[in-house]
């Protein structure tokens, strides 16, 4: 009888010890989950800040290009290519559906996007170069008024 009581006491001590250990593990798990939530919140905040800084940098370039084109310091076709490529990579709330928002610039971009530029342009024969130039100039003159309005719209978004 006394042996059974001793076994119950030892068993009870073991159960209480395991319960205390389980409680400690639950407290550690709870603290770890709280730290993880804080880490995720900080990471999301840092990512949002990085996206905002990147977007601000891109938009500054967009405004410079738009102003240069408006002041005729940059060809419309070159501006269309650069603006399209820059605004295509804006993220989050600054993302722009370029084709829907700026249809004239998109039309011009579609005309000139596959034309050779820079050194590649110098490598093609003169007749092809002149044909590309004629096609580009026709598109620029046809879309000029609408593009200027779109450039004004881009510049009006500058804060």
């Amino acid at each position: 009888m006394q042996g059974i009581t001793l076994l119950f006491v030892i068993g009870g001590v073991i159960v209480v010890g395991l319960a205390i250990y389980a409680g400690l593990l639950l407290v550690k798990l709870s603290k770890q989950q709280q730290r993880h939530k804080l880490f995720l919140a900080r990471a999301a905040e840092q990512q949002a800040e990085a996206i905002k800084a990147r977007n601000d940098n891109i938009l500054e370039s967009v405004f410079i290009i738009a102003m240069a084109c408006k002041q005729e310091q940059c060809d419309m076709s070159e501006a269309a290519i650069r603006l399209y490529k820059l605004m295509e990579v804006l993220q989050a709330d600054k993302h722009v559906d370029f084709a829907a928002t700026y249809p004239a610039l998109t039309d011009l971009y579609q005309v000139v996007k596959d034309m050779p530029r820079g050194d590649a342009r110098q490598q093609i024969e003169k007749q092809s170069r002149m044909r590309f130039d004629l096609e580009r100039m026709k598109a620029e003159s046809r879309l000029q008024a609408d593009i200027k309005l779109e450039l004004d719209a881009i510049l009006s978004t500058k804060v």
Side-chain angles (χ1 to χ4, degrees), residues 39-49:
F39 172 78
L40 290 177
R42 277 195 307 259
E45 189 176 301
Q46 288 173 344
Q47 184 179 16
E49 288 173 5

Side-chain angles (χ1 to χ4, degrees), residues 15-146:
V15 168
V16 168
L18 289 174
I20 290 172
Y21 181 65
L24 290 173
L25 289 177
L26 285 173
V27 168
K28 281 185 175 182
L29 179 63
S30 174
K31 287 180 181 178
Q32 183 180 11
Q33 287 176 336
Q34 289 174 349
R35 283 193 310 266
H36 186 65
K37 285 180 184 176
L38 287 173
F39 172 78
L40 290 177
R42 277 195 307 259
E45 189 176 301
Q46 288 173 344
Q47 184 179 16
E49 288 173 5
I51 287 172
K52 183 186 179 317
R54 182 174 181 267
N55 282 345
D56 289 346
N57 188 24
I58 291 169
L59 286 173
E60 186 61 32
S61 296
V62 164
F63 297 138
I64 289 169
I65 293 166
M67 184 59 75
C69 186
K70 188 151 175 64
Q71 294 173 350
E72 297 180 4
Q73 297 173 352
C74 174
D75 289 338
M76 281 188 193
S77 56
E78 186 68 24
I81 292 170
R82 291 173 185 260
L83 291 172
Y84 183 88
K85 293 295 185 180
L86 283 170
M87 293 178 99
E88 183 178 59
V89 295
L90 288 172
Q91 295 176 307
D93 62 332
K94 298 290 186 181
H95 179 72
V96 175
D97 181 2
F98 195 82
T101 310
Y102 308 109
L105 282 166
T106 301
D107 286 349
L108 183 58
Y109 172 76
Q110 294 301 325
V111 170
V112 299
K113 72 178 180 179
D114 294 326
M115 291 182 181
R117 300 183 313 165
D119 290 339
R121 185 180 189 301
Q122 298 303 320
Q123 300 301 320
I124 61 174
E125 60 187 52
K126 188 173 182 177
Q127 189 175 11
S128 295
R129 205 174 341 162
M130 290 174 68
R131 191 178 70 246
F132 285 138
D133 287 346
L134 181 62
E135 185 180 347
R136 178 182 51 80
M137 286 188 284
K138 281 181 183 178
E140 284 179 354
S141 66
R142 176 175 51 88
L143 298 167
Q144 183 175 10
D146 292 335

Side-chain angles (χ1 to χ4, degrees), residues 1-17:
M1 186 74 120
Q2 212 173 28
I4 293 178
T5 307
L6 183 61
L7 287 175
F8 279 128
V9 171
I10 292 173
V13 169
I14 291 172
V15 168
V16 168

